[in-house]
Amino acid sequence: MTLAEIVEKSRRIVFFGGAGVSTESGIPDFRSADGLYRQNYDVPPETILSASYFYAHTEEFYRFYRDRMLPLQAKPNAAHHKLAQWERAGKLLAVVTQNIDGLHQAAGSKRVYELHGSIHVNRCLSCGKSYPASWIAQTTGIPRCTCGGIVKPAVVLYEEPLDASVIDGALRAISSADTLIVAGTSLTVYPAASFVNYFRGDHLVLINRDPTPLDGKCTLVLHEKVGEALGKLPSWLSEDTP
């Protein structure tokens, strides 16, 4: 079956995406040859993006975070827009994403489960006051609230647990899907990668430039860019379904 045929027959699609969904928006991924984790830093990015490093070296954390983790100029690509169209048409149940960039919402998607949080939510650790990502980008040193407390981004750092309510919503969506499209992810980050095990539907689709451990279990595997794969689907697949 082709991707177009699967999408046409489906009524409860869930999209599970990783960093590769946003690379066509100009946001680097993490583990590819040119990914963030392959770059040469004095301190490895995996260490900088940990809770212990944040609290012990807050200013150094923010120096890296502002430079590499706040792509506020990025715009949704064809994949983000296509998924939002499917949701409006009643064909897509939800987006489950490992990304923190907010591009799904920027494209118009409403039901988005952000497993690793969002750069667009930042709260004071003392009083809970919220600040937008644009405010974080304009600060220097350690961002501080009007009360004097340190402001922390609501992204899930290494050593921190995922939000229980987000996990519950994501697993409920995946469990009730008739088609699960897994895209732009190496499926090596846990526990997120294990979420696909909850799928019990008809069609499992994998879209990723490189092979993954899931390839042999799929109805369809496409080793190509996510935006190109979804963007070339016929427009009628976004129209209201009966």
Side-chain angles (χ1 to χ4, degrees):
M1 296 181 72
T2 67
L3 181 57
E5 290 171 336
I6 291 173
V7 172
E8 181 184 12
K9 296 178 181 296
S10 301
R11 294 295 179 266
R12 300 186 310 279
I13 299 173
V14 169
F15 181 87
F16 180 93
V21 178
S22 293
T23 53
E24 289 164 274
S25 295
I27 301 176
D29 63 10
F30 292 88
R31 291 173 173 80
S32 71
D34 299 319
L36 182 63
Y37 289 172
R38 301 294 182 92
Q39 305 303 307
N40 187 21
Y41 294 97
D42 292 337
V43 179
E46 299 98 316
T47 300
I48 297 174
L49 296 175
S50 66
S52 57
Y53 192 89
F54 173 85
Y55 289 107
H57 308 281
T58 310
E59 186 167 357
E60 289 82 357
F61 168 91
Y62 266 112
R63 186 177 297 117
F64 176 88
Y65 183 80
R66 291 189 191 93
D67 184 47
R68 303 305 303 236
M69 305 299 291
L70 285 178
L72 301 184
Q73 76 290 345
K75 304 296 182 184
N77 62 50
H80 300 105
H81 288 298
K82 184 66 70 172
L83 294 169
Q85 292 170 5
W86 289 353
E87 185 182 56
R88 290 193 295 270
K91 185 178 284 288
L92 183 82
L93 283 181
V95 170
V96 179
T97 180
Q98 299 175 74
N99 296 337
I100 60 176
D101 51 48
L103 291 182
H104 287 292
Q105 293 92 328
S109 290
K110 303 299 183 185
R111 183 174 294 178
V112 182
Y113 295 104
E114 296 174 302
L115 298 179
H116 297 152
S118 172
I119 63 172
H120 297 286
V121 180
N122 304 273
R123 295 190 179 93
C124 174
L125 294 175
S126 297
C127 73
K129 183 177 179 179
S130 296
Y131 292 87
S134 57
W135 180 85
I136 294 288
Q138 293 169 4
T139 61
T140 58
I142 300 174
R144 291 194 177 274
C145 176
T146 52
C147 78
I150 295 174
V151 177
K152 181 180 182 294
V155 298
V156 179
L157 302 176
Y158 289 107
E159 304 166 350
E160 292 182 329
L162 303 186
D163 183 277
S165 63
V166 174
I167 293 175
D168 182 66
L171 294 182
R172 285 178 182 272
I174 291 172
S175 299
S176 60
D178 58 8
T179 292
L180 178 63
I181 300 176
V182 180
T185 173
S186 60
L187 293 172
T188 57
V189 177
Y190 286 83
S194 65
F195 284 23
V196 298
N197 297 329
Y198 287 79
F199 176 63
R200 297 292 183 269
D202 301 319
H203 301 295
L204 181 59
V205 177
L206 192 287
I207 307 172
N208 198 55
R209 289 184 302 175
D210 302 315
T212 78
L214 194 64
D215 287 20
K217 302 178 182 180
C218 295
T219 306
L220 177 68
V221 176
L222 300 174
H223 287 152
E224 56 186 288
K225 294 180 179 179
V226 184
E228 291 180 359
L230 297 189
K232 65 187 178 185
L233 292 176
S235 59
W236 50 261
L237 291 179
S238 300
E239 296 174 357
D240 290 342
T241 55

